[in-house]
Structure formats: C-alpha cells, structure tokens
Amino acid sequence: GAAAAALIAILLLLQATFGSWRLAAAYLVTLPIALVGGVLAAVLSGGSVGLGSLLGFGAVLVLAARNASLLVTHLQERERDDPRAARASVVLRGGEERVTPILMTAFATAALLLPFAFAGGAAGLEIAHQMAVVALGGLVTSTLATLVLLPVLYLRLAARPEPERFEPAVAAGNVGLATGSYMHEEA
C-alpha cells in the first residue's frame, strides 16, 4: 500500500519535472537496473543482506536518481536550444557534456567507499563494509545505465520538445521594443 502510493507520487513528480509520462517511466526503469550491480556485488562477496546493504542500496538509488534526472533535463534543454538539429546528435552532444560530472561523482564516491570495502572483517566495520560493497557494485551499473541506457531510452521515448516561441515585438505592435529604439511622442 505505502510503497505503491510512494511510487505513484514519484511518477507524478517525475512527470511534472520532465513534462512526459514516457520519460518518467524510462527514468523509473533505470533505477532498478542501477541496483543490479549492488546485488551482484553482495552475492559475489558472500555477504548477507543486512542493514549495511540496505544503506548501500539507498545510496546507489539516490546517486542514480540524481544523475538520471540531471541528464534528462540537460538533454531536454539541449533540444530546446537547438530544435532543428538531428536528435541523435543533440543527445550524443548532451551526453558527452554530462559524462565528466557523472564519472567524477562515481569516482569520488568509489574513492570514499574503497577503504571500507577492503576493511572486510575488521571489528566494528561490518555494516560499513556491507554498505561499501553494495554501493560500489551499484555505482558501476548505475553509471552504465545513466550513460548508455538512459540516452537510448530518451531517443526512443521522448517527444521532441517544442522550441520556445518568442513573438516578435513588431507583430505585437511594439515597434520600439523590436528595434531597441524608443520614440517619445511630444504633445
């Protein structure tokens, strides 16, 4: 009940943010894929799913959601800025512009987590170890999902945004505004 209500609320917020039900659904599809790496890392490390693993999954979800949201809004802005350009080139260029921030976020997070992942059985670090292992695995798949899968889904599912329309001031009868000159009438 509560999980379904939360999912519906998230979907509504995403639709309001992106202006598209299909993009909101594509965004939601990439989030569970981001968790696959965390599950694989937990299984391969022989660890059990505990509090630390749940924290790791939460961290991966937050990071994946942030990166995906920033990428989608950036792609929408690029399309609005250049409405006549080929869509694939706009998405490729927009993706290239976001690659560095996304990778830097992943690498910085990984650098913070690596000591805990290698701490393994150190007394008092069991929860941090579980969290780090799950988060590191999830970072890999969330980064790949954001940089590879999300642009492909965007190309397939996103409606072409309308370019922002500016009515010429001349058409509105404001010749002074259109030319930048202001004529003062003397009585």
Side-chain angles (χ1 to χ4, degrees):
L7 188 62
I8 290 170
I10 291 169
L11 188 61
L12 290 172
L13 287 171
L14 290 171
Q15 193 284 330
T17 300
F18 301 142
S20 165
W21 289 106
R22 294 187 304 182
L23 275 180
Y27 176 94
L28 282 179
V29 165
T30 62
L31 293 182
I33 292 170
L35 298 178
V36 170
V39 171
L40 289 175
V43 168
L44 291 175
S45 71
S48 61
V49 176
L51 177 62
S53 299
L54 294 176
L55 292 172
F57 286 128
V60 168
L61 274 177
V62 168
L63 189 63
R66 176 191 169 277
N67 285 341
S69 177
L70 290 174
L71 179 62
V72 169
T73 54
H74 184 70
L75 294 177
Q76 288 178 317
E77 288 170 7
R78 296 298 277 149
E79 278 199 294
R80 276 193 289 277
D81 291 345
D82 198 0
R84 290 187 177 92
R87 184 168 220 200
S89 69
V90 170
V91 170
L92 184 62
R93 189 173 59 242
E96 287 173 352
E97 292 168 356
R98 293 297 310 155
V99 131
T100 300
I102 289 169
L103 288 178
M104 289 303 294
T105 301
F107 288 141
T109 305
L112 291 171
L113 294 172
L114 279 172
F116 297 108
F118 288 120
L125 293 179
E126 297 87 1
I127 292 176
H129 172 72
Q130 288 177 354
M131 180 192 68
V133 167
V134 167
L136 286 169
L139 275 175
V140 172
T141 54
S142 72
T143 302
L144 288 173
T146 301
L147 293 176
V148 177
L149 180 62
L150 193 57
V152 170
L153 289 173
Y154 184 89
L155 277 171
R156 301 272 302 152
L157 299 175
R160 188 88 180 190
E162 290 291 323
E164 293 185 24
R165 300 194 187 274
F166 297 101
E167 290 187 29
V170 174
N174 298 324
V175 176
L177 293 175
T179 61
S181 63
Y182 300 95
M183 303 174 95
H184 297 286
E185 293 181 24
E186 293 183 19

